[in-house]
Each structure stands twice: as C-alpha cells, then as structure tokens.
Amino acid sequence: MIRKRLKGMGVALITPFKEDGSVDYDSLLRLVEYQVQNGIDFLCVLGTTAETPTLTAEEKRKIKSLVIERVNGRVPILLGVGSNCTQTVIDTIKNDDMTGVDALLIAVPYYNKPSQEGIYQHYKAIAQSTKLPIVLYNVPGRTGVNMTAATTLRLAHDFDNIVAIKEASGDISQMDEIIKKKPENFDVISGDDGITFPLITLGAVGVISVIGNAFPREFSRMTRLALAGDYNSALTIHHQFTELFKLLFVDGNPAGVKAMLSMMGMIENKLRLPLVPTRITTYEEMRKVLEGLKVKC
C-alpha cells in the first residue's frame, strides 16, 4: 500500500536551469540518480521547491516523464498537482498521463483564501474525482490560509484515498493534535527540515525534504534513526545541520539549496524570476558551514 511507502525521507526535487534559463534536463537526471543511489525513500516532483509556477506546461510534462522513466519504480513518485481553482486540479488529474505516479501532493488553495469549509470542499471534490492517493499540503506561509487541525482530521476521516498530510504550518501544537486524533490509515509528514526530528518523536512518519537534495544519505539516515527510536544518534545528525537549516531559507526556497548544490558542483546557481539566487553574504556563510562538514565546494 502506498501509504506505507511514503515514510522516511522524501526529497522535494529542484529543477536545475542552465545559464540561459532553460531547464537543464541532464543535471536533473543526474540529481535524480544521486538521490536514489543515496537511499531516499520517495521523490516529490513538481512541488514548490521545483519552482513549478515558473515552468511551462511542456516543461512540466517532460520533467515528470523523464523523472519517472529514470526512477523506473525504484522509489515512489509523489507528484505536485496544485491550483487555487478546484476544477483545474481535477482536469489535470483526469487529462494528464499519470502512469508511474504513485500519489498526488495537493496544496491548500493559495491567494483566494478559502474558508475552512471551502478547503474541505476543494479536497472533497478532488478526492472523489480520482482513485490516486492524495497527500494534503498545508503551508500557510505560502497560501495565505492555514488549514486547521479540525479540517485536516475531517478530511482524513471522510476519504480513504486522502492518506497523509505534509504539514508546514510551523505550529507544533497543531501538528501534535492531528497526530493524536488522526485515523490509523492517515500519516503526518514534516514539511520543514528543521523540525523533522522533534516531529518524528511526536509520531510523524518522515519528511518531504529540501536539504535532502544535497544530503540524501545523511538526512535519510537521521530520519530512519529517529523512526527507529534511536533518538540520540538521530539528534547528533540533526544538530550537524542546524545552521544550514536557517541558511537554506533566509533568502527563500529553493535559492538556498540551489546555492548549496552549485557549491557541490552539481548544478548552475540559476533560478527563474521572480526568484533570484541567495545574497553573497548568505552564500559565503553557507560555504563555511559546508567546509566544516567536509563537503567539497
């Protein structure tokens, strides 16, 4: 069952760009192979970290197709399919080729700020339109509205194919309430690298990670150790990355992780407007931390 496979460390895959701004498909495929070979548990494609709003429809189709082909069933594929128009999401799921997609990541509608009932009805309509498993995505810092624990739990209890939530509200008490009251067949996944360790101790089953783009082996190990109850060993790894967690997001996501991957020689440090690379000061601070971790840069 897919719910059992969306545990551990999933990576929110970036989209590499060339200096001319075009998608660097070769680097993308090398990065995918780097993730899989270094022990990730699943891959999140075309999410926020992928700069999906800046991609054309054809680019999104090609990225999805190439990644699925390269992964070749080795790890599950969680595909981002979000919109602030419910019918657009339904039409995308219905009309796009979903072969090789194991589950859908669907964010709370952004910008138009629906009520809690509107959020519920959004997900209800989508869940009833497909048999694919759905992972809710609550990220109020981006969407402008928080999906409350009550709404999340209502959806979790009402629809069998709503299997998990990526929780990035930053509200630990809200996440704890969901974990405490959720049905057995529903999981909570951290949407924030920095709180993955404490959230697992409360009962979360893993993370959809940004830093995992650069450190798949290390962050996968931390996640698995925490899930196995070896909290001391997991905490040691968590503390190694504490400073990087802050630097990753100070200039926005994915600017931080792209700078890091650029230092490691894996991609060009290129984003699409309106996103721009990290400031020089952030870049140099990050370089010093990476040198301390003995990462080649």
Side-chain angles (χ1 to χ4, degrees):
M1 185 178 179
I2 188 60
R3 188 183 68 84
K4 295 180 180 178
R5 298 173 67 204
L6 293 177
K7 293 185 178 180
M9 194 197 75
V11 170
L13 187 66
I14 64 145
T15 302
F17 297 116
K18 298 178 181 179
E19 280 299 329
D20 65 4
S22 62
V23 176
D24 187 346
Y25 295 106
D26 291 338
S27 292
L28 175 70
L29 293 179
R30 284 195 296 270
L31 186 60
V32 168
E33 195 62 34
Y34 173 67
Q35 307 298 325
V36 176
Q37 291 292 330
N38 281 280
I40 67 166
D41 294 294
F42 60 97
L43 200 57
C44 181
V45 182
L46 297 178
T48 305
T49 306
E51 299 174 69
T52 303
T54 71
L55 299 172
T56 68
E58 178 56 34
E59 287 170 337
K60 287 187 281 188
R61 281 192 292 269
K62 186 170 181 179
I63 288 169
K64 180 182 68 172
S65 175
L66 288 174
V67 171
I68 289 172
E69 181 180 359
R70 176 55 59 96
V71 169
N72 194 27
R74 289 177 290 172
V75 296
I77 299 291
L78 177 63
L79 180 70
V81 185
S83 174
N84 56 352
C85 172
T86 306
Q87 192 60 48
T88 296
V89 178
I90 293 171
D91 290 345
T92 299
I93 297 168
K94 178 181 177 181
N95 297 324
D96 285 11
D97 182 6
M98 293 294 168
T99 304
V101 173
D102 295 285
L104 304 172
L105 178 69
I106 301 176
V108 170
Y110 49 87
Y111 185 73
N112 42 15
K113 299 183 74 171
S115 66
Q116 294 302 307
E117 183 61 26
I119 294 171
Y120 176 86
Q121 292 297 333
H122 174 76
Y123 283 115
K124 175 182 177 180
I126 295 166
Q128 290 177 336
S129 75
T130 181
K131 293 182 179 179
L132 281 168
I134 292 169
V135 177
L136 311 173
Y137 182 14
N138 186 38
V139 56
R142 290 184 176 274
T143 63
V145 60
N146 176 54
M147 180 165 62
T148 65
T151 301
T152 299
L153 292 165
R154 185 181 172 196
L155 289 163
H157 282 282
D158 288 356
F159 303 99
D160 289 338
N161 62 331
I162 294 181
V163 300
I165 183 170
K166 177 184 178 183
E167 243 292 352
S169 67
D171 186 340
I172 290 287
S173 62
Q174 174 170 297
M175 300 177 200
D176 191 36
E177 183 177 357
I178 296 168
I179 292 168
K180 182 170 63 177
K181 297 179 180 178
K182 71 180 183 64
E184 186 177 355
N185 62 345
F186 183 84
D187 288 323
V188 175
I189 302 169
S190 174
D192 184 338
D193 287 323
I195 64 168
T196 297
F197 172 75
L199 203 58
I200 288 175
T201 68
L202 294 174
V205 301
V207 59
I208 296 174
S209 172
V210 174
I211 202 170
N213 279 280
F215 295 101
R217 184 180 297 276
E218 295 84 350
F219 212 62
S220 288
R221 185 164 183 268
M222 189 282 291
T223 304
R224 290 181 187 132
L225 286 167
L227 287 170
D230 188 350
Y231 296 140
N232 287 336
S233 298
L235 187 59
T236 298
I237 299 172
H238 167 82
H239 282 156
Q240 288 176 346
F241 289 105
T242 302
E243 194 170 354
L244 274 184
F245 292 149
K246 292 182 288 187
L247 291 172
L248 269 179
F249 299 101
V250 69
D251 293 326
N253 183 43
V257 74
K258 279 197 160 183
M260 193 183 306
L261 287 166
S262 175
M263 292 176 207
M264 295 167 68
M266 300 183 74
I267 65 167
E268 298 290 340
N269 190 22
K270 183 74 176 179
L271 291 86
R272 277 189 179 169
L273 291 172
L275 302 183
V276 296
T278 58
R279 293 167 294 174
I280 294 296
T281 52
T282 305
Y283 190 92
E284 289 306 319
E285 286 182 59
M286 197 176 293
R287 183 190 293 277
K288 291 176 184 176
V289 175
L290 290 178
E291 288 173 348
L293 291 171
K294 295 182 173 61
V295 174
K296 184 179 179 181
C297 60

